[in-house]
Amino acid sequence: MTAMTSLTGTLAQGQLTLTKDQLALAEVTLDFAEEHLAPHAVAWDRDKHFPVDVLRKAAALGLGGVYVREEHGGSGLGRTDGTLVFEALATGCPSIAGYLSIHNMVAWMIDRYGDENQRARWLPGLCAAETLGSYCLTEPGAGSDAAALRTRAERDGDHYVLTGVKQFISGAGTSQVYVVMARTGGEGPGGVSAFVVERDDAGLSFGADERKMGWNAQPTRQVLLDGVRIPADRRLGAEGEGFRIAMNGLNGGRLGIAACSLGGAQSALHRSIAHLADREAFGARLLDAQALRFRLADMATELSAARALVRQAADALDRSDPRAPELCAMAKRFATDTGYSVADRALQLHGGYGYLSEYGIEKIVRDLRVHQILEGTNEIMRVIVARGLTEAVR
């Protein structure tokens, strides 16, 4: 059995009814990751290179608008399909897979909440990755408490004027399209609206590229809005709907990041098996040591459990199940914690080699660490789950 066949079979776990088309999608995406991402991932991380040309190659396979309806240039796929795509991509590079997950969240939000003119204006470019997208919710003083954001959008005739700062924005400076959450009304979530800002809009600028522990193959910068004047037709949905739009976008985004954690960790596990098969100690292969085999078994079991939860949440989101937000939070928390833990144990199994950058394991560990923070910290995921459990007894 080849490594690629083994990975395709692994991605099929957690879903008993994957179709032939879904299995083919996983295989094609794994082939892409193996050819276009994995060979360059360490160098991109070292050089802090954002491979826009490779993103466009991914888009040529339909991965720039995974959830966008076909009539608007997308692939029209569901959330289960998306978890297959992003897990497969992350086997090659979690950083690039993570950015593509965010880009697809932006495209979905415009497709879902935009009008026909907005969809015609932005979706063709986003689906082709000729235009890149960024999601702007977090602020320097409003991370987990997203409803407390301070960025303002003041109505001025047929325009809005946006002022504020967004923090930790993936793709910032390179992306051409920014979905920005800004306050048009009073305090709390009901006062937030959503807007599309373009990179060339006057008054929009960017902070320095952040120096990060991981995710170095994509830029992360502040987005600075200094009186950015945009036409009123750049608003997505009605005034006051922005927080709901943002949260609905995050339900899918959390599944994407969860899947990226699975892919990165699965790659680390496969590399560990190969490493232990090649290494000997005390006259025997390390792979034949029962203690190490038990570690591998635990890692595989935990990933399979996380994958099943991610697929369950994806199915719930596709069916508009009322429990979908809670299940997405569960899946994001469990899969990102599990993915990081598995990758960290894979580094340990590599011994000193795992600590060397050229082997790529320490990069996976660094990349997966941030997944426990972004798209809502795992502490906030626990808040969401606990709220669902206790609503009946309030």
Side-chain angles (χ1 to χ4, degrees), residues 148-208:
L149 62 85
R150 290 286 175 261
T151 296
R152 296 290 310 181
E154 300 288 350
R155 187 71 185 246
D156 183 16
D158 293 332
H159 290 76
Y160 285 93
V161 180
L162 278 66
T163 302
V165 178
K166 296 297 181 178
Q167 184 76 35
F168 304 130
I169 306 304
S170 291
T174 302
S175 294
Q176 292 88 359
V177 170
Y178 299 82
V179 172
V180 177
M181 305 303 156
R183 190 165 298 285
T184 52
E187 297 297 312
V192 177
S193 301
F195 301 88
V196 179
V197 176
E198 296 183 337
R199 186 177 61 189
D200 295 334
D201 288 333
L204 183 70
S205 61
F206 308 96

Side-chain angles (χ1 to χ4, degrees), residues 3 6-7 10 265-275:
S6 178
L7 276 171
T10 299
Q266 192 66 53
S267 175
L269 175 56
H270 274 263
R271 296 182 195 202
S272 296
I273 295 169
H275 178 76

Side-chain angles (χ1 to χ4, degrees), residues 7 17 84 106 119-120 192 206 215 377:
L7 276 171
T17 57
L84 292 168
V106 169
R119 288 193 284 265
V192 177
F206 308 96
W215 269 33
T377 67

Side-chain angles (χ1 to χ4, degrees), residues 116-128:
E116 284 299 326
N117 289 333
Q118 291 169 333
R119 288 193 284 265
R121 176 170 181 170
W122 292 301
L123 288 180
L126 288 167
C127 291

Side-chain angles (χ1 to χ4, degrees), residues 86-102:
F86 294 114
E87 180 173 358
L89 288 173
T91 64
C93 179
S95 177
I96 296 304
Y99 173 75
L100 267 174
S101 172
I102 294 167

